Each structure stands twice: as C-alpha cells, then as structure tokens.
Amino acid sequence: MITVTIVLAVAIVLIASTIYFVSRNSRSKLSPPSNSSIVTQLPPKSPETGIAPGKAESFPENLVPPADIKRGLGRARLAFSRLFGSILGSNGSSQQVWEELEDALLLSDLGMELTNRVLEGAKASLESTGETDGLGMAEAVKAQLRSLFVEESRDLVYSEESPTVWLVVGVNGVGKTTSIGKLAAMAASDDRKVVLAAGDTFRAAAADQLQMWAERTGADIVRSIPGADPSSVVFDSIQRAAARGFDLVIADTAGRLHTKSNLMDELRKLRRTAEREPGHLTEVLLVLDATTGQNGLVQAREFAKAVGITGVVLTKLDGSAKGGIALAAEAELGVPIKLVGVGEKVRDLIVFSPDEFLDALLDVDSQDDLSNED
C-alpha cells in the first residue's frame, strides 16, 4: 500500500512538472524577455458624460479652427517673401539678384548642394524660355524648390487589420513625446481607440509626460519601471490593443544621442517587435526640430539608416526663420514630411502640403501683415 502511494505521488509530481515547463516554454515563445511587470492604466470616464477626458468632444481646442501654415511659418515667411518681392521688381538677368537669392537660400538652411541645384535649374529654365523679367525668375525658382519635394502620399497609413502600429523616433528635445500626444488626439478625433506605449524607459519624465497625454486624449497607456526592456513595453501594448479591439498603438522610443550604436540596435529590436503579429507596423515617423537646421539632418540620416523611416514630423517650424530645412529634409531623406508643428496647441500639428507651404513661404502680398506682427 505504501509503495503504491509513493508511486502515485511521484507520478503526480512528474505530471505537474511537465505541465509547468511546457506552459513556461509556450509563454517564452510568445513574448520577449521582460525584466519588470508592465503597468497599464486607463483614464477614468466622466460619470456625467461617460466620455474619457481626452475624447474629441472634450477638447476645447476643437472649437478652434486648425492652424494656418501661413501664419505658423512666421519668421521664415517674412524673410522669403521680402526676397521674392525684390525679385519680382528686378531684372531676372541681374547678377546681384542671383547672389542675394543664393545667400537667402543658404541662410534658410537649404544647404550648398541643394542651393546650387535650385539656382542652376532656374537659370537653365530661364535660358530655355528666354524670359528675363523678375516674374519669370520667381516662377522658375519656385518650380525648382517644388521639385525638391517627393511625390508620395502624406497620409498617415492605417492597416486594414487592427492594431496598426506607429513607431516614433528622434533625439531628445525635438518634441517627440508632445507629437505623440497630438497624434493620439488626431486619432481620437477620428473615433479611433489608441494605446500609447511608453517605450522610452530611460527617462521617467517621458513616461510621465505620455501619461498626461493619455489622460487628455482618452488613450490607454502601457508603461514600466525605469530601465525596463522597451521591446517588452511595445509588445505588451500591442497585445493589449489586440485583446481589447483597439485600432492604434503609438510607441515612444528612447532618444539618446544618435551616435550611440546601442541606441540604434535597440531601435532595430523595437521595429522587429512592432512587426510581429498581431501588430501591423505601417509608420516609422522621425521627429525633427526645424530650429536645428542642418544638424538635424545628420541625426535624420542615422535614424533612416537604422530603422527605415516612412515619414517626417517637422516640429517648431513656427520658431524658425530657416524654412529651407523642410525642403532639405525631403531632398536628403527621400521620404515625405507628413506633419508639421506650428504651435503649442493640439491642433497646431497639421498635415503638410508642399504647395501650401511654398505658397505661404513666398507670399509677397503679406509682407506688411508680417511686419506688423513683429
């Protein structure tokens, strides 16, 4: 009797051990290793309205029309419109005017190579048409500037199957987390359910800032302890979105110096995680600060090389007198600027249109208004 009892006990232990290890191995295949527990928080709904704090109905900014890129360009528009006003009143063959134009393009942070391309193309166009007046010169220059923009869709891409995943990358200080919050607000206004992934686990302030945007927009947020594995945060965010039928995951990422190879390796790992089922990665958005000029393009090249960006979010355009960075960014990277930030408010992140941008930048009729604003 004792022997039978011992045999039964051993059998039970063996069966339990087998079940445990099989279950453990199955879980390890489904998720990346994590060194911390994930904390998921959902903003409470208003007992009066049943609406989460950040839903479209509760945004006071939605009572205000979207930002106007013409007014948002501010200082950059003043410099360019004055220059084009001088061109229109000049002789297109004047060497002095061409030199002034070259200086203006360089000061706008277009860069030497692109400036030469614009000037040479404009001169060749004038030679072929035989035009010599200022209007012909202005139109030729504008056409060359327009040619620097890529002919690609600027729409943010959603997957046919949910959840869609957007990775947002960029160095610290460019407005990355704020841009994510505004993207979440845009999605919420379209009645899409959003999960924010606090993938920058190296800065506690980044997760806290994202938390505020989650509360404001009615999004879920998945965050972890400082120093946790960012890939685990993104993975758990995608799993949560899939389980709850959410439409979109927007993932923040670390933004330490682009020259650190471990950051780029980490971003590659994040991209691989975001591409795994049930997630559908459709956008890798690079956030660039317009005020950094050519230095920002150095950063952009590194990020493009590491993770294959699909579009650019150009922030702080309202605070820069160097509008040429928008043209330089597209010409250098070969990807479209999808959104531009022209102010602090939620609706100051707007869809970018090359034609509207150039029309606003070169609008000579508004010089007096701009001068009065100054």
Side-chain angles (χ1 to χ4, degrees), residues 306-353:
V307 290
I309 61 176
T310 60
V312 173
V313 179
L314 191 62
T315 63
K316 308 178 187 179
L317 196 58
D318 56 314
S320 174
K322 300 182 176 182
I325 188 61
L327 297 102
E330 286 216 5
E332 287 273 348
L333 301 174
V335 297
I337 296 173
K338 297 206 168 188
L339 299 161
V340 290
V342 292
E344 298 289 333
K345 297 178 182 178
V346 169
R347 304 201 79 180
D348 288 340
L349 185 67
I350 58 179
V351 176
F352 181 74
S353 164

Side-chain angles (χ1 to χ4, degrees), residues 217-229:
T217 61
D220 272 18
I221 179 170
V222 176
R223 58 183 296 181
S224 188
I225 61 173
D229 180 10

Side-chain angles (χ1 to χ4, degrees), residues 247-323:
D247 305 295
L248 175 65
V249 175
I250 309 177
D252 193 8
T253 59
R256 293 160 298 165
L257 289 178
H258 64 282
T259 51
K260 293 188 177 180
S261 60
N262 60 336
L263 170 60
M264 295 304 168
D265 291 340
E266 176 188 293
L267 291 177
R268 293 185 189 98
K269 180 181 177 183
L270 276 173
R271 174 163 187 144
R272 291 194 297 271
T273 301
E275 289 175 330
R276 294 169 60 181
E277 293 285 350
H280 304 278
L281 180 67
T282 61
E283 296 281 8
V284 181
L285 300 171
L286 172 67
V287 181
L288 278 182
D289 180 347
T291 65
T292 60
Q294 290 289 315
N295 289 334
L297 290 181
V298 176
Q299 303 164 5
R301 293 187 198 104
E302 294 298 324
F303 281 102
K305 188 188 306 181
V307 290
I309 61 176
T310 60
V312 173
V313 179
L314 191 62
T315 63
K316 308 178 187 179
L317 196 58
D318 56 314
S320 174
K322 300 182 176 182

Side-chain angles (χ1 to χ4, degrees), residues 50-373:
I51 298 171
K55 283 297 182 184
E57 294 88 342
S58 63
F59 274 121
E61 292 92 337
N62 283 336
L63 301 176
V64 180
D68 180 352
I69 193 168
K70 181 182 288 188
R71 187 161 297 278
L73 283 171
R75 295 161 58 196
R77 187 161 60 97
L78 178 60
F80 269 91
S81 61
R82 282 175 175 168
L83 171 65
F84 264 64
S86 299
I87 291 175
L88 287 172
S90 71
N91 184 327
S93 61
S94 169
Q95 184 60 31
Q96 180 181 350
V97 174
W98 286 107
E99 290 175 356
E100 289 176 359
L101 177 59
E102 179 180 12
D103 291 341
L105 293 176
L106 290 173
L107 288 173
S108 76
D109 253 335
L110 186 60
M112 180 60 76
E113 181 181 345
L114 293 180
T115 294
N116 288 337
R117 186 196 304 180
V118 168
L119 295 178
E120 291 170 3
K123 289 177 181 178
S125 176
L126 290 174
E127 288 178 6
S128 65
T129 60
E131 296 185 66
T132 58
D133 61 349
L135 178 60
M137 178 182 179
E139 290 178 346
V141 171
K142 185 176 180 179
Q144 290 301 311
L145 292 174
R146 181 62 179 85
S147 71
L148 297 180
F149 289 109
V150 300
E151 296 297 335
E152 293 185 22
S153 171
R154 295 170 194 278
D155 295 335
L156 293 168
V157 179
Y158 286 90
S159 171
E160 292 183 1
E161 298 181 34
S162 295
T164 294
V165 182
W166 297 344
L167 282 184
V168 183
V169 302
V171 299
N172 291 337
V174 296
K176 181 159 49 74
T177 307
T178 299
S179 296
I180 291 172
K182 292 179 180 181
L183 283 169
M186 292 172 64
S189 295
D190 290 336
D191 293 324
R192 298 182 190 271
K193 294 184 290 184
V194 182
V195 176
L196 301 182
D200 186 356
T201 59
F202 295 92
R203 288 193 311 126
D208 292 341
Q209 187 180 1
L210 209 61
Q211 177 76 48
M212 290 190 297
W213 276 107
E215 294 169 357
R216 191 176 182 187
T217 61
D220 272 18
I221 179 170
V222 176
R223 58 183 296 181
S224 188
I225 61 173
D229 180 10
S231 293
S232 293
V233 177
V234 172
F235 178 86
D236 286 352
S237 299
I238 295 171
Q239 294 295 322
R240 180 175 179 81
R244 291 179 169 248
F246 277 35
D247 305 295
L248 175 65
V249 175
I250 309 177
D252 193 8
T253 59
R256 293 160 298 165
L257 289 178
H258 64 282
T259 51
K260 293 188 177 180
S261 60
N262 60 336
L263 170 60
M264 295 304 168
D265 291 340
E266 176 188 293
L267 291 177
R268 293 185 189 98
K269 180 181 177 183
L270 276 173
R271 174 163 187 144
R272 291 194 297 271
T273 301
E275 289 175 330
R276 294 169 60 181
E277 293 285 350
H280 304 278
L281 180 67
T282 61
E283 296 281 8
V284 181
L285 300 171
L286 172 67
V287 181
L288 278 182
D289 180 347
T291 65
T292 60
Q294 290 289 315
N295 289 334
L297 290 181
V298 176
Q299 303 164 5
R301 293 187 198 104
E302 294 298 324
F303 281 102
K305 188 188 306 181
V307 290
I309 61 176
T310 60
V312 173
V313 179
L314 191 62
T315 63
K316 308 178 187 179
L317 196 58
D318 56 314
S320 174
K322 300 182 176 182
I325 188 61
L327 297 102
E330 286 216 5
E332 287 273 348
L333 301 174
V335 297
I337 296 173
K338 297 206 168 188
L339 299 161
V340 290
V342 292
E344 298 289 333
K345 297 178 182 178
V346 169
R347 304 201 79 180
D348 288 340
L349 185 67
I350 58 179
V351 176
F352 181 74
S353 164
D355 293 320
E356 290 180 7
F357 173 79
L358 286 177
D359 288 344
L361 195 65
L362 309 177
D363 183 7
V364 298
D365 295 331
S366 57
Q367 294 179 60
D368 293 338
D369 293 338
L370 283 167
S371 299
N372 292 334
E373 287 176 17

